[in-house]
Amino acid sequence: MVEADSRINAIQGLIDELHQRYLSLEDGAPANYIPELAKADPRDFGIVIATVDGRLYQAGDAGKSFTIQSISKPFVYGLALKLLGPECMVAKVGVEPSGEAFNAISLDPTTGRPRNPMINAGAIATTAQIACRDPENAEATVLDFFAQLVGRRLGIDDAVFRSERATGHRNRSIGHLLRNFAIIETDPELSLDLYFRQCSIQVTCRDLAIMAATLACQGRNPFTGARPLSPDITRRVLALMASCGTYDFAGQWLHDVGMPAKSGVGGGILAVVPGRLGIAIYSPPLDSLGNSVRGIAVCNELSGRLGLSLFNQYPQSSSTVRRSYTAARRQSRRWRSPPDREALRASGQRIRVVHVQGILDFAALERLVAELAASLAEARVLVLDLAHVIELPAESAELLAQQLTLFQGRGLEILLSRSAHLDLEGVRLALGQEPETLFCPDLDQSIERAENLFLALWNGDPSGGASAHENAFSQGFLSQLNPTYRQRVAACLERRDFAAGETVIRRGDPGDELFLVHHGRFTATIQLQDGYGRPLESRLATFGPGMCFGEIAFLSGQRRTASVASDLEGGCLVLSRPDFDQLRRSDPEAMNELLLALICDVGQKLSLTSHQLTQMEHL
Ligand code: DON
């Protein structure tokens, strides 16, 4: 854990400032109804903030040990939900604020059910369910669970445990009352013992901040990656912390601070900004309601100065749509014949490419759907690129599936690009598509597939129906020569066939052959590095019938800068260096025509490539 430096980090500077300022606040006194707690040093004072990205900001006694007391309650309630399920727990303890003190003997008069798991009655009822479920291992189960929440093993302060067990008469009466209403169904002493132990778990302010950050992270510990709680249980726990966590101070707390929180008579207080961060303060002097005086003051100021209140969240302004454009502005690196190129240029708006970003919660998804609906009027093919989507919550995945199904029902072909990091199985099943037709790991190939889909619709048959041999001569490179010279050049070409995946040109080889595609498809690739310095094989271009490749190294006499492989079963007409030299000597006219055609071809490729590059800057 890297410590922030207040000289270069304003957030650390603020924490240091608050610690300095409230150190002099000396109201309140440590709890004494549990004698051992009275020994706490009232000058102890720590502040820690832990973010969902796993960063810590800490000041003062961040690492000093004290007992967790009631702060254990929301977490043990989460554990009970995890072990026994909400249906079982709701029969034992309610979810309503009681408006009474934490130690009120407060049970629903008819059912005997405590109103919520944050007051002692509800907490004892909750702990009892875990104690009764597996008496032998209950304590170990609780400690293992806390270890996941914090990221380290925690112990129990035996002196505090004994002190509370010896003086916990009020809790004992609550326990027996719960037994009377069969909320506890066995000897209450067993449950009380476990409850006193859980309250005596030793933590530090740093531990509490990490626990709070775990709640902020939907139950996943951002420092270790462990997931002790599910998002649904975390939601339930946070809701109860917000409504009941500071007992009969809860209304004022939500009004002033506006964060789910939990206090403890050991002097700790923990607050959560869901999805953002956890806050913990430790200072033993308590107010009359049993909350840390310095803790309340610091949380008030942090909420006000940093705008942390749940009821003060700024409307999300960042657009979900990162980029949106049509194939008229960006084509794939698949070289197309002039007719296909013209079709794509003239009707490229029929292919829409949309790059999506961020966490696709409901608000973001709603914005995406609105922008898609507005931009798809003319589209026949949609490429949805999801590379920059950080998270797709399950609820949103379901809504996305429904929305894409609606688009599909209106005749839209859909391709999902770079989405392997997301769970889209539900979307795939809703669209009724095979993985290989719906998903594509590469954006450029997604756009190529969209082009192919569109050309198939546009031409009825993207191959155009002409035989490969006609394609090789009637369109593309050789078609630029007049028939006389074309035949004389063709006589120098050697037919060479390749299996699918076979290497035709290897990077670094001498450029002593020129290739004209007879049939099939050939892709040139280059070796790049990704953002992490890892080698990345990247497509440069794909060539179809009638197109030539390898001409630059061939004409310049340099070594190959790219590799080329045959995507399918394919064939090329090959001009070797000796035949090229022979043609130059024996038929200078044909040679001139050939060179002119090569210059035009290279110039056309250069012009298209620079057009694409310029376009890319403005997408
Ligand atoms: O049961 C008790 O009274 C203590 N073990 C815990 C009470 C507590 O922390 C109240 N929270 N402010």
Side-chain angles (χ1 to χ4, degrees):
M1 291 174 196
V2 176
E3 300 216 3
D5 179 343
S6 56
R7 292 165 304 177
I8 54 170
N9 184 306
I11 297 153
Q12 182 59 48
L14 171 62
I15 306 293
D16 289 344
E17 176 207 328
L18 294 180
H19 185 267
Q20 192 57 38
R21 176 174 329 139
Y22 289 106
L23 201 52
S24 58
L25 175 59
E26 295 181 344
D27 299 350
N32 57 16
Y33 74 99
I34 301 172
E36 195 61 22
L37 295 183
K39 298 177 182 173
D41 182 343
R43 290 164 303 174
D44 283 353
F45 181 25
I47 304 174
V48 181
I49 289 181
T51 73
V52 295
D53 303 320
R55 277 186 298 279
L56 278 177
Y57 301 90
Q58 39 201 347
D61 299 310
K64 189 148 192 178
S65 184
F66 58 97
T67 55
I68 193 170
Q69 296 302 330
S70 282
I71 299 172
S72 63
K73 295 172 176 174
F75 297 98
V76 172
Y77 180 67
L79 176 60
L81 289 174
K82 184 176 176 180
L83 297 175
L84 299 152
E87 303 71 35
C88 167
M89 289 309 294
V90 76
K92 298 292 185 181
V93 60
V95 291
E96 286 300 330
S98 66
E100 296 168 309
F102 69 85
N103 58 1
I105 300 181
S106 157
L107 303 181
D108 181 307
T110 48
T111 64
R113 197 179 62 150
R115 286 181 178 75
N116 67 71
M118 300 298 136
I119 53 178
N120 282 10
I124 293 167
T126 298
T127 303
Q129 308 316 313
I130 296 174
C132 302
R133 170 181 172 272
D134 179 359
E136 290 303 309
N137 302 302
E139 181 181 337
T141 301
V142 170
L143 289 174
D144 290 346
F145 174 65
F146 274 76
Q148 283 200 342
L149 289 166
V150 173
R152 70 183 184 99
R153 296 302 301 182
L154 299 177
I156 288 175
D157 184 320
D158 201 49
V160 170
F161 163 66
R162 291 175 183 283
S163 177
E164 178 152 18
R165 186 175 59 178
T167 58
H169 311 303
R170 193 179 179 89
N171 284 335
R172 212 161 257 115
S173 62
I174 290 174
H176 284 274
L177 202 57
L178 291 167
R179 178 72 184 90
N180 178 61
F181 285 95
I183 299 295
I184 298 179
E185 296 174 40
T186 60
D187 174 3
E189 285 306 322
L190 181 80
S191 306
L192 287 161
D193 190 80
L194 180 61
Y195 171 73
F196 294 144
R197 288 180 189 278
Q198 96 185 33
C199 288
S200 306
I201 291 175
Q202 291 170 307
V203 290
T204 66
C205 196
R206 186 181 303 118
D207 292 332
L208 291 185
I210 292 172
M211 291 168 73
T214 298
L215 292 178
C217 241
Q218 296 185 309
R220 182 180 63 81
N221 183 322
F223 293 84
T224 65
R227 184 180 279 284
L229 288 173
S230 70
D232 178 60
I233 288 179
T234 305
R235 171 185 65 80
R236 295 169 188 265
V237 167
L238 286 172
L240 279 160
M241 287 169 66
S243 61
C244 316
T246 47
Y247 314 111
D248 41 348
F249 183 61
Q252 191 68 48
W253 173 268
L254 276 182
H255 175 272
D256 298 343
V257 180
M259 298 181 228
K262 187 69 203 79
S263 58
V265 290
I269 191 164
L270 167 155
V272 180
V273 182
R276 302 288 185 272
L277 51 89
I279 299 169
I281 293 109
Y282 164 56
S283 187
L286 308 178
D287 61 21
S288 59
L289 301 174
N291 301 316
S292 167
V293 172
R294 293 189 180 111
I296 298 286
V298 169
C299 284
N300 260 306
E301 181 141 357
L302 280 174
S303 178
R305 287 181 63 173
L306 302 181
L308 298 180
S309 169
L310 289 188
F311 312 109
N312 178 36
Q313 291 310 303
Y314 296 97
Q316 281 183 334
S317 57
S318 63
S319 166
T320 306
V321 171
R322 182 186 175 92
R323 279 187 289 176
S324 177
Y325 50 87
T326 70
R329 297 187 63 198
R330 172 184 172 171
Q331 289 86 43
S332 73
R333 286 194 283 275
R334 164 79 182 268
W335 289 114
R336 301 280 178 184
S337 65
D340 284 352
R341 231 177 15 244
E342 180 48 31
L344 287 171
R345 195 199 55 72
S347 305
Q349 75 283 0
R350 314 287 266 167
I351 298 172
R352 171 67 59 175
V353 183
V354 178
H355 295 243
V356 187
Q357 66 182 357
I359 296 174
L360 286 190
D361 59 11
F362 171 71
L365 197 70
E366 186 276 331
R367 231 190 333 276
L368 172 64
V369 168
E371 295 200 35
L372 284 177
S375 65
L376 291 179
E378 296 183 272
R380 289 298 309 277
V381 187
L382 168 65
V383 175
L384 212 47
D385 183 73
L386 303 174
H388 295 279
V389 171
I390 300 168
E391 196 150 346
L392 177 65
E395 307 81 6
S396 295
E398 193 175 329
L399 205 55
L400 179 64
Q402 290 163 14
Q403 184 56 51
L404 293 180
T405 305
L406 286 174
F407 285 150
Q408 186 186 56
R410 296 167 61 92
L412 191 68
E413 297 280 351
I414 294 164
L415 291 169
L416 300 181
S417 166
R418 299 191 290 182
S419 61
H421 60 296
L422 301 170
D423 177 4
L424 292 169
E425 184 57 11
V427 172
R428 184 185 73 78
L429 293 171
L431 293 172
Q433 292 201 26
E434 291 306 313
E436 56 276 5
T437 59
L438 179 61
F439 301 125
C440 185
D442 176 90
L443 173 61
D444 189 62
Q445 287 176 23
S446 302
I447 296 176
E448 178 186 353
R449 278 170 46 181
E451 292 167 352
N452 294 343
L453 282 170
F454 170 70
L455 289 171
L457 296 168
W458 176 271
N459 299 331
D461 168 9
S463 72
S467 76
H469 190 73
E470 281 168 31
N471 270 341
F473 288 92
S474 62
Q475 65 180 30
F477 175 64
L478 281 182
S479 66
Q480 300 168 67
L481 279 69
N482 79 34
T484 310
Y485 296 122
R486 190 184 309 161
Q487 286 311 322
R488 282 148 58 175
V489 170
C492 304
L493 303 177
E494 170 220 345
R495 167 73 181 268
R496 198 180 299 169
D497 288 347
F498 299 92
E502 186 177 348
T503 297
V504 179
I505 285 178
R506 205 177 299 282
R507 194 175 20 261
D509 286 355
D512 51 13
E513 291 179 321
L514 174 67
F515 295 82
L516 173 65
V517 178
H518 178 267
H519 65 283
R521 226 176 42 229
F522 294 81
T523 290
T525 58
I526 51 175
Q527 195 80 36
L528 297 174
Q529 283 193 337
D530 68 11
Y532 301 98
R534 296 175 301 208
L536 183 67
E537 186 93 302
S538 189
R539 176 165 77 153
L540 203 58
T542 294
F543 307 98
M547 298 173 192
C548 75
F549 61 83
E551 69 276 25
I552 295 176
F554 184 73
L555 289 172
S556 65
Q558 304 296 317
R559 290 194 170 272
R560 301 293 184 187
T561 55
S563 297
V564 176
S566 177
D567 297 350
L568 320 160
E569 291 268 335
C572 288
L573 302 172
V574 184
L575 178 62
S576 68
R577 175 75 61 198
D579 288 341
F580 177 78
D581 292 340
Q582 173 55 33
L583 183 68
R584 187 168 54 183
R585 286 190 296 274
S586 64
D587 193 343
E589 287 173 340
M591 174 51 69
N592 284 342
E593 286 286 304
L594 174 60
L595 287 176
L596 200 57
L598 280 173
I599 291 167
C600 290
D601 192 70
V602 169
Q604 205 172 53
K605 286 172 178 171
L606 204 55
S607 157
L608 272 174
T609 304
S610 48
H611 180 78
Q612 283 249 18
L613 280 175
T614 311
Q615 280 282 25
M616 300 275 277
E617 285 168 20
H618 303 291
L619 290 182

